[in-house]
């Protein structure tokens, strides 16, 4: 293994290059080919807390990163109109309450809610959620005994600025950048491996191993190697998006808002210098003009550009590693940004590629392990996203009728049955979305379980009530003492692009 070629310089390409730059120390050449003429997808602004792992791996200073990408802090996602029109709930990062003697916290709360209206909502027992509602932010405490240690956060950022930030690092660390449009891809007639990408001006870039970050076109994995795309459209019918920035508004909310529409949903992502907005919709159920009207009609501030149109299909390539090529980012698969998981899947692909980095172009064990792990992760995230569409009372449009009545995948059906019977939530080992995430969405959108955990009988109601009351108070006090989100940014990490 002497050379690696990364095809594509979007978020996926430069995130990959910034990590693979360290291969140069092992004597491996790393080259990235990108085409300004083709450009990048240019959307993708909300992240989840796992981005900390990526930034830490590269030793990126957080305040410098927030400044460079005009980022804000994200404490979760508010879902509006998903269960029914007029209903809203938060899916916060962080945990709900504390389990007691092996009994899940949400079980305690569900019982208390059945007995008394005063028990409060799930959100009241999650510091991250309460802080989000108050538009407060501070970094978590490192003292595990402090309630503030339970706070979890991610970022809203400008993905274009992030790619530029990473590009400077990667090039500084020895990655060679080649600008040009790839016209063809050559395969070895003997092995079928990719040998060279040929630019339209005739320049040739040869490599031993290739990372396909070419976006939806999937130039290497899909086009050159012919790995089929598996569509998940029957469960996730949204196939288009319109994106438009708007002027910033106050207060600066530390969360993403996802508002359900008649045939899809709208996102609202506040950055320091603008708000990113978009409408993800299903073209089988609504036309482009109506979708644009819904997007522009729902903006909080004036639009600052024309809406940009994007097309996609939910799904993933049958294999993400084929021969001497791994696809990372949109070249490998796409799940709509409802839970901001695309950038996570990019970093997960990079992390697994690094832990399985092949010593030679052919590495069947590493390839099969990679395909199993990434394939499982895509499928698990898919199920979590389908949950939002399927667990709804909405029947006010053909779209929602379709989503509610289409049988979910078996893996999700089992989770739903566990919840509906006794409020149980059991993510698979290693699953990205923890039981707290599943509880947030199930409690926010699905009917209350028919019964609860029989082990609750061991916890007397009055004792549990005192515990809930105490927790509720401590969380409320801690959140109220946190600084305002905008003030925190102004003090620590205001961007040059900021207000
Ligand atoms: P691209 O950005 O498309 O980059 C492809 C690269 O390949 C470009 O540099 C291009 O020039 C190059 N290329 C292509 N063909 C050639 C060629 N022939 N020759 C040379 N170079 C070539 N993710 C999140 O995590 N959070 C979000 O909130 C979020 N929101 C999204 C909203 C929408 C509507 C969409 C569609 C996606 C969203 N995503 C989100 C996903 C996110 O945008 C992508 O995962 C991310 O931008 C990575 O894209 P990419 O680098 O794989 O592809």
């Amino acid at each position: 293994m002497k050379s690696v070629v990364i095809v594509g310089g979007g978020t996926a390409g430069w995130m990959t290059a910034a990590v693979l730059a360290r291969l140069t120390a092992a004597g491996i050449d790393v080259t990235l080919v990108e085409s300004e003429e083709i450009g990048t997808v240019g959307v993708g602004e909300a992240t989840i807390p796992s981005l900390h792992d990526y930034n830490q791996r590269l030793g990126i200073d957080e305040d410098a990163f927030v400044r460079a990408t005009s980022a804000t802090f994200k404490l979760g996602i508010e879902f509006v109109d998903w269960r029914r029109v007029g209903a809203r709930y938060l899916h916060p990062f962080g945990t709900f309450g504390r389990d007691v003697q092996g009994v899940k916290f949400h079980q305690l709360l569900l019982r208390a809610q059945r007995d008394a209206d005063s028990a409060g909502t799930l959100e009241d027992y999650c510091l991250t959620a309460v802080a989000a509602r108050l538009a407060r932010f501070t970094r978590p405490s490192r003292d595990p005994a402090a309630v503030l240690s339970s706070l979890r956060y991610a970022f809203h950022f400008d993905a274009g600025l992030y790619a530029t930030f990473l590009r400077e690092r990667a090039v500084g660390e020895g990655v060679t950048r080649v600008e040009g449009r790839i016209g063809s891809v050559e395969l070895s007639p003997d092995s079928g491996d990719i040998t060279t990408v040929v630019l339209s001006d005739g320049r040739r870039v040869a490599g031993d191993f290739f990372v396909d970050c070419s976006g939806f076109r999937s130039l290497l994995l899909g086009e050159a190697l012919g790995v089929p795309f598996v569509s998940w459209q029957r469960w996730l019918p949204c196939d288009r998006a319109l994106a438009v920035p708007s002027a910033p508004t106050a207060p600066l909310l530390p969360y993403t808002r996802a508002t359900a529409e008649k045939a899809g949903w709208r996102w609202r992502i506040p950055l320091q210098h603008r708000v990113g907005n978009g409408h993800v919709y299903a073209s089988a159920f609504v036309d482009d003009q109506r979708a644009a009207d819904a997007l522009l009609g729902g903006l909080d501030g004036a639009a600052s550009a024309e809406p940009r149109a994007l097309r996609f299909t939910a799904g993933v390539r049958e294999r993400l590693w084929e021969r001497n090529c791994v696809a990372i980012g949109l070249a490998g698969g796409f799940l709509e940004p409802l839970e901001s998981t695309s950038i996570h899947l990019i970093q997960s692909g990079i992390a697994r590629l690094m832990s399985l980095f092949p010593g030679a172009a052919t590495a069947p064990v590493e390839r099969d392990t990679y395909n199993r792990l990434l394939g499982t992760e895509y499928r698990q995230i898919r199920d979590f996203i389908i949950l939002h569409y399927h667990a709804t009372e909405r029947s006010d449009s053909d779209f929602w009728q379709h989503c509610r009545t289409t049988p979910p995948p078996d893996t999700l059906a089992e989770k739903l049955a566990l919840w509906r019977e006794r409020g149980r939530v059991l993510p698979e080992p290693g699953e990205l979305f923890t039981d707290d995430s599943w509880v947030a969405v199930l409690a926010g959108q699905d009917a209350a379980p028919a019964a609860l955990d029989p082990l609750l009988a061991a916890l007397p109601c009055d004792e549990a009530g005192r515990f809930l009351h105490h927790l509720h108070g401590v969380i409320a006090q801690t959140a109220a003492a946190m600084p305002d989100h905008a003030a925190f940014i102004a003090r620590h990490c205001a961007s040059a692009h900021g207000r």
Side-chain angles (χ1 to χ4, degrees), residues 253 353 491:
L253 298 178
L353 176 59
R491 179 148 180 230

Side-chain angles (χ1 to χ4, degrees), residues 14 16-19 21 24 165-176:
W14 285 113
T16 305
V19 174
T24 56
F165 179 76
L166 294 177
R167 182 172 79 185
E168 280 163 16
R169 279 184 63 104
V171 171
E173 287 178 19
V175 172
T176 307

Side-chain angles (χ1 to χ4, degrees), residues 91-92 94-97 425 427 433-441:
H91 169 198
T95 50
F96 293 111
V425 176
F433 288 104
T434 61
D435 44 1
D436 286 299
S437 288
W438 281 90
V439 167
V441 180

Side-chain angles (χ1 to χ4, degrees), residues 7-13 33-35 38-46 180-182 213-217 219 241 267 269 280 310 312 328-331 334 337 340-344 346:
V7 169
T11 314
V33 186
E34 66 177 329
S35 160
I38 295 176
T40 64
V41 156
V43 281
E45 298 169 329
R181 186 185 189 119
I182 295 167
C213 298
S214 65
F216 285 127
R217 195 169 151 200
L219 203 60
W267 78 75
I269 299 175
V280 172
L310 297 128
F312 47 79
I328 291 181
L330 301 174
F334 181 71
S340 323
T341 42
S342 288
I343 291 172
H344 166 81
I346 291 172

Side-chain angles (χ1 to χ4, degrees), residues 162-209:
Y162 189 49
T164 308
F165 179 76
L166 294 177
R167 182 172 79 185
E168 280 163 16
R169 279 184 63 104
V171 171
E173 287 178 19
V175 172
T176 307
R177 173 177 178 262
V178 175
E179 158 60 36
R181 186 185 189 119
I182 295 167
S184 60
V185 179
E186 290 180 357
L187 307 183
S188 155
D190 304 326
S191 65
D193 286 355
I194 300 171
T195 57
T196 312
V197 291
V198 186
L199 307 190
S200 42
D201 61 8
R203 278 177 296 159
R204 302 168 64 80
V205 182
D208 296 320
F209 196 82

